[in-house]
Amino acid sequence: MKTTSNILILTLILSFACFTENSFGLTPQEMDSEYQKSEAAKKNKNWSLVKEIVMPLAKMGHAKSQGRLGAIYLLGLGQLPNIMEGVKWTKLAAEQGYAQAQFNLGSLYSTGTGVPQDHKEAAKWYRLAAEKGHAQAQALIKESRLAEEKRVAEKKRVAEEKRAAEKKRVAEEKRVAEKKRVAEEKRA
């Protein structure tokens, strides 16, 4: 009797452990493997299948799945857009360091889509994505850096032109004043 109850308890514990592992505790490698299934569905533009695959993974904290789910909601892929859900999932993925989501979140802040428009916050997320090697973010930062350098150079050029014009104006005033002084001396 004791052996039967021990076996029953052990069976229940093992069953629960298997249920828990399969339902809640996928390893990162298993989540990545499951996520790869969404790639084929994405190529076929089967957005309902993509969502079906990534939703449970996103809920388990898989950053790529969160990012993909965010894009599905933001872009309305296979459904009507849901900006707030899209921002939520994109932000979760970005905060975990997923570069594509960081870039996307930067774009949301840049345009004010679903979040208050905030160029400093956008720049922060673009920079983080660029640091992770995200090519679009790197290009955007390079472009903005070049634009800033051009803006600074133009500002310097305009300031120099103003200084030169002021110097010329002062020199002209001195010349006119000297001419008047000389003319007055001749009259006196």
Side-chain angles (χ1 to χ4, degrees):
M1 179 80 158
K2 194 173 183 180
T3 307
T4 306
S5 63
N6 285 347
I7 291 173
L8 180 60
I9 291 170
L10 184 59
T11 303
L12 286 172
I13 291 171
L14 289 173
S15 296
F16 181 74
C18 289
F19 172 77
T20 302
E21 178 65 25
N22 290 333
S23 300
F24 308 108
L26 296 177
T27 67
Q29 294 80 12
E30 290 169 327
M31 285 192 273
D32 286 341
S33 177
E34 285 298 305
Y35 175 81
Q36 286 305 314
K37 294 176 184 175
S38 76
E39 288 293 328
K42 178 185 169 192
K43 285 178 185 168
N44 294 325
K45 298 188 186 318
N46 186 344
W47 299 111
S48 59
L49 180 57
V50 172
K51 186 176 176 184
E52 183 181 313
I53 293 168
V54 298
M55 178 65 83
L57 298 171
K59 287 179 178 178
M60 287 187 270
H62 187 255
K64 285 184 178 180
S65 295
Q66 291 171 337
R68 179 152 294 162
L69 189 58
I72 289 170
Y73 282 121
L74 287 168
L75 300 172
L77 300 172
Q79 63 183 29
L80 291 174
N82 184 334
I83 302 301
M84 297 316 295
E85 276 296 299
V87 169
K88 174 184 110 176
W89 289 108
T90 301
K91 193 174 239 183
L92 286 169
E95 288 170 348
Q96 287 195 68
Y98 180 47
Q100 182 62 51
Q102 291 172 329
F103 178 80
N104 292 348
L105 189 56
S107 297
L108 295 175
Y109 277 109
S110 180
T111 60
T113 304
V115 294
Q117 189 172 35
D118 185 338
H119 294 292
K120 286 185 180 178
E121 192 69 10
K124 170 188 133 180
W125 289 107
Y126 286 143
R127 181 183 48 74
L128 289 169
E131 287 173 359
K132 292 220 170 21
H134 191 278
Q136 286 176 286
Q138 290 171 338
L140 191 64
I141 287 173
K142 182 179 179 181
E143 181 180 311
S144 69
R145 194 174 295 133
L146 290 173
E148 178 63 15
E149 288 172 3
K150 279 184 175 179
R151 189 189 66 73
V152 168
E154 179 64 13
K155 193 174 179 179
K156 284 180 182 178
R157 187 191 64 75
V158 168
E160 186 57 41
E161 283 180 0
K162 284 181 180 179
R163 277 193 296 275
E166 179 64 16
K167 191 175 181 180
K168 187 176 181 180
R169 185 191 64 77
V170 168
E172 182 63 19
E173 284 178 1
K174 284 181 180 179
R175 190 189 65 74
V176 169
E178 180 62 23
K179 194 174 183 180
K180 279 184 182 179
R181 187 189 63 74
V182 170
E184 284 178 9
E185 281 180 3
K186 285 183 180 180
R187 278 186 266 180

